């Protein structure tokens, strides 16, 4: 499971260091490659075995249903395999960096089955909004029986 948060810098070539604990999970659940795609305001990275399940499920969706085609166009189509280099960095393609507005500090946030990659400023805004309305967090915690 991916958990924890790390802040790293996206360098001028678009490379981002993946924390060792995340790389270990990527290696355990696949070949070390992260499949990176668009999320909601961020990028989402999946281990290969989990991504294959997502693709299989997407392939089973009705071909001519517009909402599913839109989902595939937004989420599946931009996905790219990002294999780490010897320093544990992945190269994030320019189109995905532009989508997530990654140009400096990035937060890698463990989300259990995957991890998200956020522009630091957007991450901070998201965190402040969540803390400003703690009722949403409390409602979510109730689903877990807390």
């Amino acid at each position: 499971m991916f958990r924890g948060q790390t802040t790293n810098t996206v360098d001028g070539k678009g490379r981002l260091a993946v924390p060792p604990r995340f790389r270990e999970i990527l290696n355990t659940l696949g070949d070390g490659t992260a499949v990176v795609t668009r999320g909601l305001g961020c990028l989402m990275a999946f281990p290969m075995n989990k991504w294959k399940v997502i693709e299989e499920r997407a392939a089973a969706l009705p071909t001519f249903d517009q909402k599913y085609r839109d989902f595939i166009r937004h989420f599946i189509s931009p996905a790219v395999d990002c294999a780490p280099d010897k320093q544990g960095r992945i190269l994030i393609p320019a189109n995905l960096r532009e989508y997530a507005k990654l140009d400096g500090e990035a937060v890698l946030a463990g989300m259990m089955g995957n991890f998200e990659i956020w522009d630091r400023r957007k991450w901070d805004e998201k965190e402040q909004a969540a803390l400003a309305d703690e009722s949403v967090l409390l409602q979510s915690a109730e689903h877990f029986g807390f």
Side-chain angles (χ1 to χ4, degrees):
M1 291 290 197
F2 296 98
R3 57 176 141 336
Q5 300 168 3
T6 301
T7 301
N8 283 331
T9 302
V10 178
D11 71 15
K13 295 181 181 178
R15 297 175 299 195
L16 175 65
V18 176
R21 65 185 182 279
F22 286 8
R23 289 196 316 262
E24 184 178 313
I25 296 166
L26 291 170
N27 285 324
T28 300
L29 300 177
D31 63 357
T33 298
V35 179
V36 179
T37 192
R38 287 188 229 160
L40 298 173
C42 66
L43 300 180
M44 298 176 76
F46 295 87
M48 189 57 73
N49 72 333
K50 185 148 180 114
W51 184 255
K52 286 180 181 180
V53 171
I54 292 169
E55 283 185 335
E56 288 170 8
R57 290 181 181 170
L61 295 172
T63 303
F64 294 103
D65 188 315
Q66 189 61 46
K67 69 179 176 260
Y68 296 126
R69 295 187 65 76
D70 288 345
F71 167 76
I72 290 169
R73 192 174 296 112
H74 175 81
F75 187 71
I76 304 290
S77 178
V80 62
D81 296 0
C82 295
D85 63 15
K86 292 178 182 174
Q87 287 78 38
R89 300 170 301 187
I90 57 173
L91 176 62
I92 300 174
N95 64 317
L96 292 177
R97 288 194 316 270
E98 288 170 19
Y99 170 79
K101 304 203 179 342
L102 296 175
D103 63 358
E105 281 192 317
V107 175
L108 292 85
M111 299 295 290
M112 296 184 290
N114 67 290
F115 63 93
E116 294 179 337
I117 304 168
W118 285 85
D119 169 74
R120 176 64 187 260
R121 292 174 300 272
K122 287 173 66 177
W123 172 264
D124 289 344
E125 290 171 9
K126 192 80 155 164
E127 285 285 283
Q128 291 303 314
L131 292 173
D133 186 5
E134 290 179 340
S135 66
V136 174
L137 297 173
L138 292 171
Q139 289 172 355
S140 297
E142 287 176 0
H143 288 290
F144 290 97
F146 297 142

